[in-house]
Amino acid sequence: INYQSPVVIKVGGKEVVAAIGNTKLLLLDPASGKILLEHPHGGDSAEIVVPVPVENDRLLLRVGRDKTDLVQIVSAVDKLSVEKVWSEGVFKNSYAIPVYYNGYLFGYNSRILTCVDASNGQTKWRSRTPDDGWLLVVDGNLVVQTKTGSVYVGAASPDGWKELSKIDLFKNLSW
């Protein structure tokens, strides 16, 4: 793995740390560091493996260059388990970490901005604009900084990419 960051999520109302590696997902107690769950995900060496929290104790995992899984973390008594919700090649070959907003996931499938229905993994739309880059959600909008130095703003909507604003911010390649 080239880039990996654990994230804090809530499972069954309790905070846990979710971390993913080449072969497994780990859930840890943030106070003690105790491993609460060790789940082999069956993936291969992904470039970026940051779990993306999705509502209802779900996580989006990019577990390979061309494999994306959405999993459900199940909390029963004092035991955690994982159930796969769907597996699709919707976000691949990109350093950009997908984002979740209002039932949908937004990210890059290679260099194409893609919106995916989080409930079933089905692609809602794809757009070559804006260029390849990194995104986040601010006030219901996607804010995308591209590698070519532009910043775009568009609605975080399943209805397609609709540019609201663009500014050319950097003259050089921007990572």
Side-chain angles (χ1 to χ4, degrees), residues 1 15 44 52 69-70 89 98 121 172 175:
I1 292 177
E15 285 190 339
D44 58 13
V52 176
D69 291 348
L70 188 88
N172 298 321
W175 281 78

Side-chain angles (χ1 to χ4, degrees), residues 54-56 58-60 68-72 84-91 100 102-105 114-125 158:
V54 177
E55 65 189 15
N56 301 322
R58 292 181 172 189
L59 285 174
L60 179 77
T68 308
D69 291 348
L70 188 88
V71 298
Q72 176 84 44
K84 190 177 290 186
V85 177
W86 53 259
S87 184
E88 299 287 341
V90 291
F91 300 118
Y100 173 78
N102 213 18
Y104 296 91
L105 292 153
T114 304
C115 173
V116 172
D117 185 328
S119 68
N120 58 25
Q122 298 302 302
T123 299
K124 295 298 288 180
W125 56 261

Side-chain angles (χ1 to χ4, degrees), residues 104-132:
Y104 296 91
L105 292 153
F106 301 89
Y108 282 91
N109 187 334
S110 293
R111 291 184 170 94
I112 301 172
L113 184 60
T114 304
C115 173
V116 172
D117 185 328
S119 68
N120 58 25
Q122 298 302 302
T123 299
K124 295 298 288 180
W125 56 261
R126 296 175 54 156
S127 178
R128 291 197 179 275
T129 304
D131 300 332
D132 189 17

